[in-house]
Amino acid sequence: IYSGVSLVTKCDEGYELNEEDATCTVCPVNTYSSGGTSKCDQCEEGYYTLYNRTGETANCRVCPEEAYCPGGYDLPYNVEGYWCEFNENRPEFRKKMMECVVHAGKSCLSSYDRSKDKASCSSPPCCAHGYDPDSRACSKPEEGFMFIGSFPVECGARYNFVTGGAYLMLTGLVYVVTVAADKYDTLNLFLISLQNMALIYNFEFQWP
């Protein structure tokens, strides 16, 4: 391969040789080159690099604990309970994992299926059924769903506001009985009085 009168076989740092047109092109995502080579190096499983994208050094870094790094040309994928932004124009977002808090983190699924060696869904990050994949950290209900507590339920005849109201009332009653009563003596005495009244009501008295 010739460029002018010189044979081009190696490229500068951050580039690799395109053999089709004998030019040096920027290293692909998740690869790096220290210069003086014709091919960019890939990271192995468990490592990643953002070199030549964010000014990082030319090497592979250990995968974040909250992510899985398959290596090759793939940047880190979030594991279950965490979320990250997949933006081709901002690859540095792939190293910033956010902990999901909705439904105790169960709203966010792992975005990489290791058994199939590919992404878990068609458009990562992947959310559980009923959670909006376009919302940050899968924190909103998907279209056609609503939240009861932090659980997404499908809108329709089976789930309505009466059911939701009953659930909230039951949740409040459980809270009062198990939590609030232990904190407030007056409330505890009131609940005991209600229990005593219920018992007395069931007694059969014969008045003269």
Side-chain angles (χ1 to χ4, degrees):
I1 301 174
Y2 290 89
S3 176
V5 295
S6 301
L7 181 65
V8 178
T9 58
K10 299 179 180 180
C11 295
D12 294 334
E13 180 179 350
Y15 293 83
E16 70 176 5
L17 183 65
N18 185 339
E19 297 180 355
E20 294 183 358
D21 57 8
T23 60
C24 291
T25 57
V26 176
C27 287
V29 172
N30 207 41
T31 65
Y32 68 94
S33 170
S34 300
T37 61
S38 61
K39 196 73 174 177
C40 296
D41 296 322
Q42 297 182 5
C43 292
E44 299 179 353
E45 181 181 5
Y47 294 86
Y48 78 101
T49 182
L50 293 172
Y51 172 69
N52 211 42
R53 305 285 167 165
T54 60
E56 292 191 357
T57 56
N59 55 24
C60 293
R61 295 191 172 193
V62 177
C63 192
E65 294 183 2
E66 306 84 6
Y68 171 69
C69 298
Y73 295 111
D74 288 318
L75 288 171
Y77 287 82
N78 62 285
V79 298
E80 183 178 356
Y82 290 86
W83 180 92
C84 70
E85 185 173 347
F86 285 67
N87 187 331
E88 294 183 358
N89 297 322
R90 300 296 300 273
E92 66 270 19
F93 289 164
R94 295 283 290 275
K95 68 176 182 179
K96 300 177 181 178
M97 302 295 157
M98 176 184 296
E99 186 175 5
C100 299
V101 296
V102 176
H103 196 179
K106 295 181 180 180
S107 59
C108 298
L109 302 179
S110 173
S111 291
Y112 196 86
D113 188 340
R114 303 188 194 188
S115 63
K116 298 180 180 179
D117 198 22
K118 65 177 184 179
S120 301
C121 58
S122 58
S123 182
C126 306
C127 298
H129 181 66
Y131 295 92
D132 185 4
D134 294 326
S135 64
R136 192 170 183 83
C138 306
S139 57
K140 296 181 180 179
E142 193 175 6
E143 184 177 356
F145 287 79
M146 67 178 183
F147 278 165
I148 295 182
S150 60
F151 297 88
V153 294
E154 189 174 359
C155 299
R158 292 181 300 168
Y159 302 103
N160 50 46
F161 288 104
V162 175
T163 304
Y167 173 82
L168 292 176
M169 291 178 63
L170 179 60
T171 302
L173 180 60
V174 171
Y175 173 81
V176 168
V177 173
T178 61
V179 179
D182 292 335
K183 293 183 178 180
Y184 304 103
D185 293 337
T186 303
L187 180 59
N188 193 24
L189 291 173
F190 175 71
L191 292 175
I192 293 175
S193 299
L194 288 179
Q195 293 174 355
N196 292 334
M197 291 175 63
L199 291 173
I200 294 172
Y201 178 79
N202 291 323
F203 290 161
E204 295 184 0
F205 291 102
Q206 292 184 357
W207 299 95

